[in-house]
Amino acid sequence: MDQRRADPRGALVRPYAVTRGRTEPRQDIALEAVLTASLTQVAESRFAGHDKHRIATVCEGRAQSLAEIAAYTRMPLGVARVLVADMVAESLLTLHTAAPAEGFEERMELLGRVLSGLRRL
């Protein structure tokens, strides 16, 4: 039997290897931020590496949030956050903001109301 099939850990790549040791994104992108990729961006992403091309393909023709990208590509959220921020900086993804930036307190209040509503269900 093939050694790689016998040991499932052989197929794993450490997250820091994918991000080249970086743990912080170039820019802060919210989990709910909407990202898209045009046909041109998907084509250009082929030269940026396998993981970035996978992300661009997921965003082609359909807007995706950062959280959805991580889920669809089965990447840890921290890895997806770093790669997506790189791709936005490299113009391989387009970042769409849904609303003007709110302060921390307003966002925490909103999250608190959402959590409270979920607990009632």
Side-chain angles (χ1 to χ4, degrees):
M1 183 175 211
D2 187 357
Q3 181 72 12
R4 288 179 290 177
R5 289 185 186 191
D7 185 2
R9 294 175 296 171
L12 296 177
V13 175
R14 301 268 184 214
Y16 61 83
V18 175
T19 62
R20 296 186 175 129
R22 292 179 298 126
T23 58
E24 294 296 321
R26 291 182 185 185
Q27 70 182 69
D28 189 33
I29 297 177
L31 289 175
E32 70 277 5
V34 177
L35 299 132
T36 58
S38 68
L39 291 174
T40 303
Q41 289 170 315
V42 172
E44 289 175 7
S45 72
R46 288 189 355 222
F47 305 106
H50 175 72
D51 293 313
K52 289 182 179 180
H53 184 63
R54 274 186 15 203
I55 291 170
T57 302
V58 166
C59 296
E60 179 186 4
R62 187 171 150 198
Q64 302 287 349
S65 70
L66 177 59
E68 289 172 315
I69 292 169
Y72 288 136
T73 59
R74 297 182 182 215
M75 286 183 191
L77 184 58
V79 172
R81 179 174 276 166
V82 170
L83 292 179
V84 164
D86 288 350
M87 293 177 73
V88 168
E90 296 163 359
S91 298
L92 295 175
L93 285 178
T94 304
L95 175 64
H96 304 275
T97 55
E102 298 179 44
F104 179 77
E105 294 298 322
E106 290 86 3
R107 291 185 77 171
M108 291 306 294
E109 181 182 330
L110 173 63
L111 289 174
R113 290 194 316 260
V114 170
L115 184 59
S116 175
L118 289 173
R119 287 182 179 151
R120 291 185 200 144
L121 295 177

